[in-house]
Amino acid sequence: KNEVEQSPQNLTAQEGEFITINCSYSVGISALHWLQQHPGGGIVSLFMLSSGKKKHGRLIATINIQEKHSSLHITASHPRDSAVYICAGTNTGNQFYFGTGTSLTVIP
Amino acid sequence: DARVTQTPRHKVTEMGQEVTMRCQPILGHNTVFWYRQTMMQGLELLAYFRNRAPLDDSGMPKDRFSAEMPDATLATLKIQPSEPRDSAVYFCASGLVLIPRTAASHEQYFGPGTRLTVT
């Protein structure tokens, strides 16, 4: 069993829809990263959070340490949001636990 | 526009050959990470450096892989000898760590990756 589980694995949405991607983890972590990998392969770090909520433009990331769960929300989704979204937990021992990714397709 | 650069972007080589991948971190960043991504395994951390010193390389096959930082502007990942199972995209990322114990808990900037194919 993977230490970090993401759901759904694949997601198709209509432009404008509100999107939620979930990340649950079974190991102790000190921070959680959300990464975005574009169809061309490039990776962008979206958020790094250890508690609460962060917002950047139309993207919102939340984490609940007690429940070992994080969510990434996209408001007013756009075709350019189509990408693979990966969550990764890290601990103070600098170990990484990667999710398998959620492939998002936003249709115009 | 500061960014992490990696060379080469693509590499095709024959089994048994030596492969060297290079990464130039963002100027001023003191932490460098090497990742490997395959369809089967997804993203994996291979090694990382802080202030040019290797902090963790437990994710790296020691018999054939080596990672170094000859200076603050260059990180290298070497495979010798290469095998077909090493075929993957190798990403380098850099960041600025202000609290040493939490090297992984900070924002990272990824390079474009090196796509390696070993035949």
Side-chain angles (χ1 to χ4, degrees):
Chain A
K1 185 181 183 300
N2 202 16
E3 294 90 350
V4 177
E5 299 279 354
Q6 286 186 238
S7 63
Q9 282 191 308
N10 297 284
L11 180 57
T12 300
Q14 290 290 134
E15 183 174 357
E17 285 186 3
F18 180 84
I19 289 164
T20 295
I21 299 171
N22 296 298
C23 176
S24 296
Y25 50 93
S26 58
V27 292
I29 65 168
S30 56
L32 189 126
H33 300 254
W34 280 102
L35 309 175
Q36 179 191 54
Q37 186 164 29
H38 293 286
I43 296 177
V44 174
S45 175
L46 297 175
F47 295 103
M48 190 280 293
L49 66 166
S50 53
S51 66
K53 179 166 99 172
K54 286 190 176 180
K55 184 176 189 294
H56 184 250
R58 296 179 294 105
L59 302 177
I60 303 167
T62 63
I63 188 168
N64 185 318
I65 297 292
Q66 285 74 29
E67 294 185 4
K68 295 189 173 180
H69 181 269
S70 176
S71 293
L72 177 69
H73 305 286
I74 305 174
T75 61
S77 59
H78 190 275
R80 65 174 175 265
D81 298 326
S82 298
V84 175
Y85 293 83
I86 302 167
C87 69
T90 61
N91 59 23
T92 53
N94 295 312
Q95 291 172 297
F96 278 78
Y97 304 95
F98 289 98
T100 53
T102 294
S103 178
L104 170 66
T105 302
V106 181
I107 300 170
Chain B
D1 184 24
R3 60 183 68 187
V4 176
T5 58
Q6 289 186 248
T7 57
R9 294 292 307 275
H10 302 273
K11 176 74 176 178
V12 179
T13 191
E14 291 184 349
M15 183 173 65
Q17 296 297 306
E18 177 178 300
V19 175
T20 298
M21 291 168 272
R22 294 177 174 81
C23 168
Q24 183 172 9
I26 292 173
L27 191 64
H29 281 186
N30 61 356
T31 306
V32 172
F33 295 79
W34 281 106
Y35 297 93
R36 175 171 64 184
Q37 185 178 40
T38 61
M39 289 294 291
M40 292 298 294
Q41 300 292 331
L43 265 174
E44 303 172 277
L45 175 67
L46 295 176
Y48 70 93
F49 294 76
R50 177 163 54 82
N51 296 326
R52 294 178 56 200
L55 284 193
D56 192 312
D57 60 2
S58 57
M60 207 164 63
K62 301 290 190 305
D63 55 339
R64 298 183 299 108
F65 284 60
S66 62
E68 296 179 344
M69 278 201 76
D71 60 62
T73 64
L74 177 65
T76 62
L77 179 66
K78 190 174 295 186
I79 308 174
Q80 168 63 23
S82 57
E83 297 181 1
R85 60 179 167 153
D86 302 327
S87 297
V89 181
Y90 291 81
F91 289 99
C92 170
S94 74
L96 178 62
V97 175
L98 301 177
I99 304 173
R101 287 187 63 233
T102 59
S105 300
H106 68 283
E107 188 169 6
Q108 299 178 31
Y109 297 83
F110 284 77
T114 294
R115 182 174 296 276
L116 173 65
T117 302
V118 183
T119 60

